[in-house]
Amino acid sequence: MTPATVVKADGLVRSFGPVTAVDGVGFEVAEGEVFGLVGPDGAGKTTCLRMLAGLLSPDGGGVEVLGTDVVRQPEAVKKDIGYMSQPAGLYEDLTVRENIEFYADLYQVPRRERRERLERLLEFSGLGPFTERLFRNLSGGMKQKAGLACVLIHRPKVLFLDEPTNGVDPVSRRDFWKILYELRRDRVTIITATTYLDEADRCHRVALFDRGKVRLVMSPGEMRSLMKTGLYDLAAANRPAALKVLKGLPWVAGAAVFGSGIHFSLAEGRGLGDVREALHEAGVEPGRIEAIQPTLEDAYLALVENENNGPGTAAS
């Protein structure tokens, strides 16, 4: 059985003065899906997420969440959704327990159900030992977990997360994603905005944001498969000079710094000998060059470049 569509964005537009933050964005998200809004800062992810949650009115287009027109009835979906900003906006002078209880009051959670819900949230989030600690005294990772517990206390069907692990250490990021996958057992639909492409790889599908537009909507695996040319990693002693040379060659596409090396791809009919020759002529010692499997970041950069420059680039 095909999962039901629970979130639908149709031609969303939103401007702030002369700047168009979201420009004709549309996609659908199925029940129980982990869906990523992926792109750099300023690409329009947060603005889009706020419109989906009914926190910001669009200038054009429409949004449906669980069959409700969010543009016309933003209050009608509040009981069924949870929204978590970055950083988690909880009360610094309240304890973890007091913050969660405040949200339970806010969402009018029946008192007879609160204890069971609270205990379950504390258990699976790992917050149990910290319930009486003031929110301001928590680590960054624990603050995000506390924020998630607060937006889950009323058992939302759809969860909107705005860069929930931004600035959080790697271990806490991993633990946070474990919690998100636990939620899928209850068929919670999760839409998360992120700049981290390793997190995008954890999503079932992603919407690729670039300067206010959604370029593609697909699974991370499908994104990588669109790179039809081979990908190579170059290690050079003078990396800036090597990168400049590669970017100046018309038959080299998608050259970019990755870690301690440079990732690049070649046009059909060209080989590594051509690359070494061009670098030698420019007085740059190439060092090691080896074929590699593309990461999601490679695919993202190639796809965006393809959209911006037209056919003939690495992802065409």
Side-chain angles (χ1 to χ4, degrees), residues 80 98 100 107 119 155 175 197 210 222-223 251 281 283:
D80 291 320
E98 288 169 340
I100 297 175
Y107 286 109
E119 288 179 353
R155 293 182 176 170
D175 292 344
L197 288 166
D210 176 42
E222 289 170 332
M223 277 182 62
W251 37 270
E281 289 179 355

Side-chain angles (χ1 to χ4, degrees), residues 286-304:
R288 171 187 51 78
I289 306 177
E290 61 183 7
I292 57 173
Q293 291 296 315
T295 66
L296 198 60
E297 188 171 358
D298 293 315
Y300 175 88
L301 292 173
L303 291 170
V304 169

Side-chain angles (χ1 to χ4, degrees), residues 234 239-256 262-267 270 274-275 277-279 281-282 284 305 309:
L234 164 68
R239 191 170 58 178
L243 182 63
K244 183 178 180 180
V245 172
L246 291 175
K247 285 190 170 183
L249 299 173
W251 37 270
V252 170
I262 299 171
H263 288 191
F264 67 93
S265 54
L266 297 175
R270 294 288 186 165
D274 298 316
V275 175
E277 182 178 352
L279 289 169
E281 289 179 355
V284 177
E305 183 173 330
N309 298 334

Side-chain angles (χ1 to χ4, degrees), residues 136-148:
R136 67 166 178 260
N137 293 332
L138 296 176
S139 67
M142 296 308 292
K143 284 183 176 180
Q144 293 308 95
K145 290 178 183 180
L148 184 61

Side-chain angles (χ1 to χ4, degrees), residues 38 195-198 200-201 208 216 220-234 243 253-265 290-307 313-316:
V38 180
T195 59
Y196 295 121
L197 288 166
D198 62 322
D201 228 352
L208 184 65
L216 292 168
E222 289 170 332
M223 277 182 62
R224 280 189 287 267
S225 71
L226 288 180
M227 293 193 66
K228 296 181 180 179
T229 58
L231 191 69
Y232 301 91
D233 180 68
L234 164 68
L243 182 63
V257 171
F258 278 76
S260 61
I262 299 171
H263 288 191
F264 67 93
S265 54
E290 61 183 7
I292 57 173
Q293 291 296 315
T295 66
L296 198 60
E297 188 171 358
D298 293 315
Y300 175 88
L301 292 173
L303 291 170
V304 169
E305 183 173 330
N306 182 54
E307 289 286 341
T313 57
S316 61

Side-chain angles (χ1 to χ4, degrees), residues 1-10 26-33 35 52 62-70 77 157-158 160 187-191 205 217:
M1 181 184 299
T2 303
T5 297
V6 296
V7 177
K8 181 179 180 181
D10 184 15
F27 51 79
E28 296 184 5
V29 183
E31 181 185 20
E33 190 171 19
F35 189 88
L52 295 178
V63 180
E64 286 188 10
V65 175
L66 298 166
T68 297
D69 186 328
V70 175
V77 296
K157 297 176 183 177
V158 183
F160 297 100
R187 302 300 296 168
V188 176
T189 302
I190 300 169
I191 302 179
R205 289 188 305 140
V217 178

